[in-house]
Amino acid sequence: MARKRRLTRFALSAVVAGGLATGCASDDKSLTYQTDYSKHQPLKVFGYPSTGSLETVQKAVWRLADGDADALAALAVDDKQADATARNWVKAFGAAAKGDVTADFYDEGSVRQVVVLYFAKSGQIKEIEARVGEDDSWGLTLAEPDPAEAKAKPTWAPPKPGGSGSRTSGAPTGS
């Protein structure tokens, strides 16, 4: 009887191991995201991001940290000035994006969201816009081909993250 139990346990463990090996395979998109996530500093967040705006901003910060202007430009909703803007952003914020970055999401994020990035390492502040493009997927507005404009600090943003946070939660207000 003891022998039968061992065989059953062995057979069961082989089935479980085989199922894990084949059933846990991730699709390429998920695996890429997991790999990116494990290689970078976590993004600190204030406000009320949507799933799409949060993922897009997270990817943008990762591309900045990697110094990958081409991959950053690929996040653009309109590619007219995306390449020049992405190069400008990488040059201005790439080194700082390797450290702690906080994203302050403003207003509700159903189709568009203004986000202020705070780079702890350099003290730099950058306003960006995440929005839904014509293909109904989230991306960035990359329309700053002038290097001075690309690295300009927003005049309206609070000096520290979370200072005013998102102005709305996206939830309807009673009247």
Side-chain angles (χ1 to χ4, degrees):
M1 190 174 236
R3 184 176 178 178
K4 189 174 184 181
R5 247 188 225 145
R6 282 189 206 135
L7 288 176
T8 304
R9 287 182 188 158
F10 175 76
L12 181 59
S13 63
V15 169
V16 170
L20 289 174
T22 59
C24 290
S26 298
D27 61 15
D28 287 344
K29 185 177 178 183
S30 176
L31 185 58
T32 300
Y33 186 85
Q34 291 171 4
T35 302
D36 273 343
Y37 189 85
S38 67
K39 288 187 198 173
H40 298 92
Q41 293 275 3
L43 181 68
K44 296 175 185 164
V45 176
F46 286 97
Y48 301 94
S50 69
T51 303
S53 65
L54 177 59
E55 182 177 347
T56 300
V57 170
Q58 179 69 78
K59 287 179 180 179
V61 172
W62 290 339
R63 301 307 161 247
L64 286 170
D66 293 342
D68 192 342
D70 291 337
L72 181 60
L75 295 174
V77 292
D78 180 0
D79 63 356
K80 290 178 186 170
Q81 300 172 326
D83 290 333
T85 301
R87 284 191 305 274
N88 290 337
W89 286 12
V90 166
K91 186 175 181 182
F93 305 103
K98 292 177 183 182
D100 290 335
V101 180
T102 302
D104 213 340
F105 289 78
Y106 285 82
D107 298 321
E108 66 90 24
S110 60
V111 295
R112 182 182 84 74
Q113 201 156 29
V114 172
V115 182
V116 179
L117 299 176
Y118 294 85
F119 299 92
K121 189 174 183 178
S122 65
Q124 293 171 290
I125 301 173
K126 174 68 183 154
E127 174 188 352
I128 64 174
E129 179 186 68
R131 67 180 179 92
V132 175
E134 290 179 14
D135 62 353
D136 292 330
S137 65
W138 279 88
L140 296 175
T141 302
L142 293 170
E144 297 173 339
D146 175 21
E149 180 185 11
K151 65 181 179 182
K153 180 178 175 180
T155 58
W156 62 271
K160 294 189 185 263
S164 62
S166 188
R167 292 186 287 264
T168 67
S169 66
T173 56
S175 47

